[in-house]
Structure formats: C-alpha cells, structure tokens
C-alpha cells in the first residue's frame, strides 16, 4: 500500500511539473480523495467544498513538512505558491460531501450533537459545520478521518497552523471523540 | 484611518468613562492619555460589558481563546483570532503604497518572502534575523555586495518567535526552550544547528511563543505568558525571567505579566519597559494593553487580578486591590495587541524622536471595530510615565480589515527603523529625509 502511494506520488510530481490544465493535474489527487468531492478511501479526507484558505494552509504545511504525512509531503514538495492557490481554489469549488444514505443511530447522534454544542464547534466551524476561512468544513467528512484527526489534535501529534484545536480537544475523551466523529459524518 | 484613545477629564469625572470611549472620536489626534496611575480608579465595567467568565461553555479548557466569551451575543460570536495567509505576499503585492508615515519619512520594502516574519534582531555585521511563530523557521536577511538576500537560517524549530543577538551569537526562543548559534554571521551559508541553553519552560501553546531580549546587564530576558485568556496559574507562568547568556543563574524578576511580546531598556535610566496584552472578552473597550516599567526586581504587574492598573478583574479581583500591584506607565488601546517596542536612539529621525518608545500594535481580534494594526510613538514624561501616544505608521487597517499586521520594530545603526509584518511575511524600512530608495 505504502509503495503504491509513493509510486503514485512520483507520477503526480512529474505530472505537476507540466503545464496541463488543473483538471488533469488534480486527477491523481482525486484518485484517493474522490472525484466528486467525496472520498471512498479509508482515512483519506473528502475535499469537496473545503474552505479555500484552509486547504491552502494544509497544502502549504504539507509542502513545508509542518504537517507530516509522507505521501502528501512528497506530493506537495514540488508545488509552487501559485500551484497551492490553484489547487485549493479548485478544491473549494468541488461539490460538498453528502451524508451516508442511512440515518445514524439516534442515541449516538444525540450524544454527538450535544458534544458539538457543549464544545462550541459551531462557533468557529459555523452552525452547519461548513467552516469559514482558515477553519475547515467538517460536515459529512469521513468518520474514520474525523476520529483520527481529533485524536491527533488531542495528543498534539497534529499541531495545526495555530494551536487552538489542541486546546479545544484537551478535555474531550476518546469515547466522546468517537461520538463526535459519528455525528459529524452523518449530520444532515 | 486609525483611532486613538483620548479621554477628556470632564468625561472621566462625569462618570461616562466607558461609554465615552469611542475610539474614533480622537482619530489622528496627538492624544495625551493620562497615565493609568493618575486616573480615578475605575469601577466594574458599565452595563453593556458582560460579566466575564460566566458565559462560554465551562468545558472549554483554560488555553482556549474562546473562554470567557459572552453567550447569546451575535457580535461576540463573530470574533476569533485571525490567521494570516500561509504564503508570504509577493514584493509587488505588499501594502506599502497604502501605508502612511509622517511628513518627511519614507517607507520601503526591506525584504519579503519570509512566511510569518515576527521578531527582529540585528547582528554586528548588519545581518537581520527574523523569527516566526506559525512556521518552523528563523530567517537571515543578508547584505552581500549591496544586495539583500533572504536565507533560511534554521528550520524544524517549534514556534521560534524570539531572536536576540549579542557578541556574535544569535539566541532563539522556541515555545519551551532557548538555544543559540555562535559566530552566526560567519556561518550564514552553513549555519550549525542551534544548541539548547535553557529548557525549563512550560509547553503551553496559549501565550507560549516568546519575545526575548538581552539587557544592559548582559543577561537574557525570557518571558512566559499566562496559559489562557484569563486564568489563575502556577508559579511557572505569567512572568519574566532573566538568566546568564549560557542559561545559568535564571531568576524570576517580574510576575503578573499576562503576555509580553516586546521589551527594551530605557536608554538613560536603563529600566526595563515592556508591552503587555490585556485580557479578552471583558468588554470591547477595556482593559487596554499596557506599557509597563520595572523599577525593582519582584514587581507584580497585576494580571489576572488587576487590569490596566485600575480595574479589579470581575472574576479574580475579589478581595484584591489595584494598589497591591505595579501600575502601567501608559495604556495602549483595548485589544490592540501591542507587541514589539524599542527605544529610538538613532540620529536619522528628527530630534523629537530621541528616546521615544516605538511600539508595533499588531491589531485587535477581540473587538467589533478593530483597533491597532499600526506603529505608534510613545513619548515619556521626565518621571518615566507615558506622556502621549501618537500615530507613526498607519494604513495596515482598512475598512475594518487588515492588509498587514506589524509585529516588531528594530532601530538600525544608520538610524533607520525596520518593521516586521507577519501577515505578509515582510520587513519594511522607515527612513527620514531624502534617501536613496534601496531595494526597489
């Protein structure tokens, strides 16, 4: 799996170097992240309608290795500042991810929703969790990616651009993280 | 347009203190705010100011910037710290044309392309060192054959905001450690990794980034902010420490410091002056950021019990009196984020600028109508208190939005002044009189 990603990264880098239109340049990204804004790949985030300033910050951090995930660091390595803007603007215009067809289990949904309110996720991420500016859209993000990311913020293995999420996650337990991710992935 | 605080005495006496603090009223005036110590002690914030500490979710951790936010206020809900763009602005996209300086002064781009450029220090050979907070780098602006060039001096650092230079050595302050690079200007092309000299520092993110400076006593001054907006904390926070240049002999010299991100020593009295940022969410207009002066080791500057020298904190001030603490010598505007400050001792600027404190106000986030986003001049009275606060560089704030945010100021040997801007990743140079505009 890892080798495949690295090989893919190599293909992507050579692709980026060319002057192809953005739709072609971004195609290898979407092979994992989903062509219609919705990721079908385990632990890999959906990118659709992501806030452009947030996407730009993440791409920048991958390029600078301020956010460490080797395949993404490799992919972003050769991108220019202008490329980063181009990709983040394109991502922002892709369709937003949709919730899974089946409704969530009511008790868990209720617990998750209560946690969103209690911890004021909505104050930065917007009431519909669509995000704004440098604060990401999290609504209907993949549950596995949400849970992993919240855990990484909590144990400070993912620093973020500033440190606000580490502070926010400090009092939230692993069980609560699971409920939060369950609800946010399925909210309508 | 830029706003300054000017509080007529009559208004103070009439009791209209808080409601009268409309900042725009005194725009562009050379304001003369009375020193905090001379003001009548303020009562609790007037109606309209929310009771602090009662509103936001009790589950928010102490480090969260949202702690203390009043519930049910749409205006307050819109306010959050502002993240700068990650990519530094291209030289031709910098806001220099919008920036205003007093007549006779010039502003130019000194260097650009340094993401999140923060604190400044200058070496004996003229190299300018630039720290950062949101990226992992310390930059060096190198002068070579009349051309300026930006190099990454060190990377892989964690919130390396603070830089200071003495006798060939660069000192770098990360979130929880201080390190040094010796003979740095002789090794700019192949600098060695920084070696740690002091790391007995807390790791809190809130107010954890550091400004550092080296005093006339040849000691390194290292602050630790309070780990949250308005919190009771242990003895390892809310302080300024000084130590020998090898990290030995560290001692705490000041307490009650919420978050100082700029300081310098008065050129004549050699007393330490420092800016300190006031707490958030108490109200739009109070407390103000402070200009403080340390007159003796062990001074306590009030936070979180007494704010701006004359307001006891609504939450932590019970049973306390502001008379127990060292009052600021001047107030620098509510939420204005007064950061870098240095005394001007150069010969290029007019005589009126001799020994004034030049202060970079990064600009507010916790205020509906933004204030700051400028560089101001604080003139002092003979007794060392602040006499006046005047605009110096304005124009970073336009239609309640920032097009740049000044962080630090650094007088150069030739009398010019450098100003860093972390929003654009640039350093500007201010000169006076007819100059050959270098770097254009």
């Amino acid at each position: 799996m890892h080798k495949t990603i690295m090989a893919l990264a190599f293909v992507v880098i050579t692709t980026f170097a060319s002057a192809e239109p953005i739709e072609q340049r971004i195609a290898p990204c979407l092979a994992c992240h989903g062509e219609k804004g919705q990721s079908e790949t385990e632990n890999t985030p959906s990118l659709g309608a992501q806030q452009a300033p947030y996407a730009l910050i993440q791409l920048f951090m991958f390029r600078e290795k301020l956010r460490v995930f080797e395949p993404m660091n490799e992919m972003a390595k050769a991108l220019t500042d202008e490329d980063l803007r181009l990709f983040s603007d394109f991502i922002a215009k892709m369709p937003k991810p949709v919730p899974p067809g089946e409704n969530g289990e009511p008790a868990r949904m209720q617990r998750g929703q209560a946690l969103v309110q209690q911890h004021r996720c909505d104050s930065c991420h917007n009431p519909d969790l669509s995000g704004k500016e440098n604060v990401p859209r999290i609504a209907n993000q993949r549950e596995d990616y949400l849970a992993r990311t919240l855990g990484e913020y909590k144990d400070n293995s993912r620093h973020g651009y500033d440190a606000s999420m580490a502070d926010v996650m400090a009092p939230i337990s692993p069980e609560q993280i699971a409920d939060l991710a369950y609800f946010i992935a399925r909210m309508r | 347009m830029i706003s300054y605080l000017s509080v007529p005495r009559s208004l103070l006496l009439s009791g209209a203190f808080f409601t009268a603090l409309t900042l725009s009223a005194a725009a562009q005036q050379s304001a003369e705010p009375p020193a905090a110590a001379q003001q009548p002690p303020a009562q609790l914030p007037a109606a309209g100011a929310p009771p602090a500490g009662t509103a936001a979710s009790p589950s928010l951790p102490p480090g969260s910037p949202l702690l203390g936010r009043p519930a049910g206020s749409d205006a307050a809900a819109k306010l959050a710290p502002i993240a700068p763009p990650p990519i530094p602005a291209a030289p031709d996209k910098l806001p220099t044309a919008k920036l205003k300086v007093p007549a006779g002064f010039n502003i130019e781009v000194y260097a650009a392309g340094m993401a999140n450029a923060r604190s400044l220090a200058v070496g004996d050979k003229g190299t300018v060192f630039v720290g950062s907070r949101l990226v992992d780098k310390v930059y060096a602006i190198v002068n070579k054959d009349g051309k300026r060039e930006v190099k990454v001096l060190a990377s892989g650092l964690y919130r390396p905001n603070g830089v200071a230079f003495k006798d060939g050595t660069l000192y770098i302050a990360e979130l929880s450690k201080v390190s040094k690079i010796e003979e740095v200007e002789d090794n700019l092309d192949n600098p060695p990794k920084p070696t740690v000299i002091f790391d007995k520092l807390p790791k809190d993110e809130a107010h954890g980034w550091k400004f550092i400076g080296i005093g006339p006593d040849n000691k390194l001054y290292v602050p630790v902010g309070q780990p949250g907006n308005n919190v009771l904390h242990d003895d390892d926070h809310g302080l300024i420490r000084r130590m020998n240049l090898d990290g030995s002999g560290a001692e705490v010299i000041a307490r009650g410091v919420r978050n100082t991100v700029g300081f310098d020593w008065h050129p004549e009295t050699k007393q330490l002056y420092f800016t300190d940022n006031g707490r958030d969410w108490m109200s739009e207009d109070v407390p103000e950021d402070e200009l403080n002066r340390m007159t003796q080791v062990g001074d306590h500057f009030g936070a979180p019990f007494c704010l701006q020298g004359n307001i006891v904190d609504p939450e932590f001030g019970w049973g306390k009196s502001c008379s127990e603490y060292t009052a600021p010598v001047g107030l620098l505007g509510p939420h204005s984020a007064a950061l870098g400050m240095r005394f001007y001792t150069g010969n290029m600027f007019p005589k009126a600028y001799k020994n004034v404190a030049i202060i970079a106000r990064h600009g507010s986030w916790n205020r509906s109508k933004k204030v700051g986003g400028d560089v101001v001049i604080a003139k002092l009275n003979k007794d060392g208190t602040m006499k006046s606060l005047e605009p110096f560089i304005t124009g970073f704030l336009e239609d309640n939005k920032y097009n740049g945010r000044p962080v630090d100021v650094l007088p150069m040997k030739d009398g010019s002044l450098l100003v860093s801007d972390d929003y654009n990743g640039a350093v500007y140079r201010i000169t006076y009189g007819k100059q050959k505009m270098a770097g254009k």
Side-chain angles (χ1 to χ4, degrees):
Chain A
M1 173 67 184
H2 190 71
K3 268 193 179 151
T4 322
I5 290 180
M6 295 308 289
L8 187 59
F10 181 75
V11 173
V12 171
I13 289 160
T14 45
T15 312
F16 284 171
S18 70
E20 288 168 25
I22 176 71
E23 288 79 3
Q24 279 178 42
R25 294 183 68 194
I26 206 164
C29 310
L30 306 186
C32 293
H33 287 282
E35 282 170 20
K36 290 177 181 141
Q38 186 131 20
S39 162
E40 308 287 341
T41 316
E42 183 178 294
N43 278 320
T44 303
S46 300
L47 300 182
Q50 190 48 275
Q51 298 291 332
Y54 170 79
L56 179 65
I57 288 170
Q58 298 312 308
L59 286 170
F60 172 82
M61 291 182 76
F62 280 130
R63 187 184 71 181
E64 305 294 319
K65 294 196 178 161
L66 295 170
R67 180 176 170 189
V68 180
F69 180 65
E70 209 182 324
M72 281 304 298
N73 298 135
E74 278 299 313
M75 287 202 168
K77 199 161 74 175
L79 296 180
T80 64
D81 288 353
E82 201 39 56
D83 289 336
L84 299 186
R85 290 196 188 94
L86 204 63
F87 279 83
S88 51
D89 288 347
F90 186 88
I91 286 166
K93 290 192 191 95
M94 287 166 54
K96 64 182 182 190
V98 292
E102 285 171 35
N103 283 331
E105 192 188 310
R108 285 196 80 183
M109 290 298 281
Q110 219 163 31
R111 284 206 302 271
Q113 188 166 22
L115 285 165
V116 164
Q117 275 162 7
Q118 185 191 348
H119 294 283
R120 297 203 156 202
C121 309
D122 56 335
S123 72
C124 290
H125 288 275
N126 264 1
D128 62 355
L129 304 190
S130 60
K132 60 188 170 203
E133 297 287 324
N134 58 301
V135 180
R137 168 187 292 276
I138 51 174
N140 304 135
Q141 184 52 271
R142 285 183 62 91
E143 182 182 355
D144 56 0
Y145 178 76
L146 282 169
R148 199 183 66 168
T149 305
L150 290 170
E152 287 171 347
Y153 277 127
K154 184 176 168 65
D155 69 17
N156 220 12
S157 58
R158 180 167 166 186
H159 293 306
Y161 192 43
D162 60 27
S164 40
M165 278 304 291
D167 287 330
V168 171
M169 292 308 295
I172 300 178
S173 71
E175 295 74 31
Q176 290 175 324
I177 286 178
D179 284 341
L180 273 169
Y182 186 88
F183 167 73
I184 295 168
R186 290 171 176 78
M187 63 186 284
R188 287 170 197 275
Chain B
M1 201 211 81
I2 200 68
S3 304
Y4 289 88
L5 264 181
S6 167
V7 185
R9 290 254 143 183
S10 57
L11 284 178
L12 285 176
L13 296 172
S14 76
F17 184 74
F18 290 104
T19 46
L21 282 182
T22 50
L23 288 158
S24 55
Q28 297 296 4
Q29 282 178 16
S30 167
E32 296 204 359
Q38 296 165 352
Q39 287 175 11
Q43 303 302 308
L44 282 175
T54 55
S57 160
S59 69
L60 283 172
S64 169
L66 295 177
L67 193 81
R69 191 181 65 178
S73 164
D74 290 345
K78 283 184 191 144
L79 302 177
I82 299 156
I87 296 170
D92 62 334
K93 298 269 166 59
L94 289 168
T96 28
K98 292 178 175 175
L99 302 181
K100 294 182 189 70
V101 286
F105 286 90
N106 320 292
I107 186 162
E108 63 180 315
V109 176
Y110 186 76
M114 299 161 286
N116 199 237
R118 296 273 299 182
S119 305
L120 300 169
V122 62
D124 292 334
K125 296 177 183 172
T127 311
V128 173
F129 301 98
V130 187
S132 67
R133 174 157 85 92
L134 298 178
V135 298
D136 60 344
K137 293 176 176 54
V138 171
Y139 309 94
I141 308 171
V142 182
N143 292 292
K144 211 174 175 183
D145 309 324
K147 278 180 84 179
R148 275 193 294 273
E149 191 189 331
V150 173
K151 287 176 189 288
V152 174
L153 184 79
S155 59
L157 307 178
Y158 195 59
R159 309 215 184 282
N161 186 75
V163 284
F165 183 95
K166 184 83 183 180
D167 297 335
T169 301
L170 178 72
Y171 299 83
I172 300 170
E174 296 176 69
L175 184 82
S176 62
K177 61 186 175 194
V178 183
S179 52
K180 66 174 181 180
I181 302 177
E182 289 177 355
E183 293 168 16
V184 63
E185 287 186 289
D186 300 329
N187 294 289
L188 291 170
D189 288 327
N190 195 14
K193 288 233 171 245
T195 53
V196 174
I197 59 166
F198 190 83
D199 62 1
K200 293 180 198 70
L201 292 164
K203 292 189 163 66
D204 306 83
E205 290 279 1
H207 302 155
W209 60 95
K210 290 168 177 44
F211 178 94
I212 53 171
I214 295 164
D217 53 3
N218 216 26
K219 286 180 188 283
L220 182 66
Y221 285 65
V222 181
V224 181
Q226 298 185 334
N229 170 34
N230 197 42
V231 286
L232 290 175
H233 54 78
D234 59 19
D235 284 349
D236 291 333
H237 295 84
L239 56 82
I240 302 175
R241 203 181 251 118
R242 73 178 169 201
M243 61 188 71
N244 298 320
L245 295 181
D246 61 0
S248 67
E251 58 169 337
V252 174
I253 53 157
R255 294 197 178 273
V257 180
R258 183 175 172 276
N259 186 30
T260 177
V261 196
F263 43 81
D264 198 9
W265 289 262
H266 190 279
E268 285 168 0
T269 66
K270 308 296 179 198
Q271 285 172 329
L272 172 70
Y273 279 72
F274 65 92
T275 58
D276 196 10
N277 291 180
R279 60 161 292 190
D280 299 314
W281 298 124
M282 185 170 146
S283 77
E284 297 255 10
D285 293 335
V286 287
E288 293 192 44
D289 287 2
E290 301 171 355
L291 179 61
N292 286 301
R293 172 182 55 168
M294 196 182 85
T295 52
Q296 55 186 351
V297 168
D299 275 353
H300 191 296
F301 290 89
F305 312 109
C306 168
L307 317 170
Q308 68 164 48
N310 58 11
I311 301 172
V312 288
D313 185 79
E315 190 175 358
F316 299 125
W318 293 89
K320 309 280 183 186
S321 161
C322 279
S323 63
E324 298 166 43
Y325 308 104
T326 306
V329 293
L331 300 182
L332 303 174
H335 309 294
S336 66
L339 303 184
M341 70 135 296
R342 318 248 188 187
F343 289 100
Y344 184 79
T345 56
N347 292 315
M348 182 190 284
F349 293 3
K351 269 206 176 115
Y353 289 85
K354 195 79 181 171
N355 294 352
V356 300
I358 305 179
I359 301 170
R361 301 198 304 178
H362 197 226
S364 63
W365 64 264
N366 192 226
R367 196 167 193 282
S368 298
K369 187 172 188 297
K370 292 187 175 65
V371 62
D374 57 10
V375 176
V376 293
I377 299 282
K379 290 183 177 164
L380 302 182
N381 294 306
K382 283 228 168 67
D383 67 1
T385 57
M386 192 171 89
K387 185 165 94 182
S388 65
L389 195 64
E390 301 167 10
F392 186 58
I393 309 173
T394 59
F396 287 107
L397 180 55
E398 197 178 46
D399 300 330
N400 214 28
K401 281 194 183 126
Y402 296 112
N403 56 42
R405 300 183 82 186
V407 176
D408 200 7
V409 290
L410 180 70
M412 299 290 278
K413 259 189 208 146
D414 66 357
S416 63
L417 180 81
L418 300 187
V419 178
S420 62
D421 170 359
D422 65 350
Y423 199 84
N424 292 305
V427 171
Y428 312 103
R429 177 173 181 248
I430 314 295
T431 55
Y432 182 78
K434 281 206 176 115
Q435 297 285 331
K436 202 171 132 248
M437 294 294 272
K440 282 231 155 171

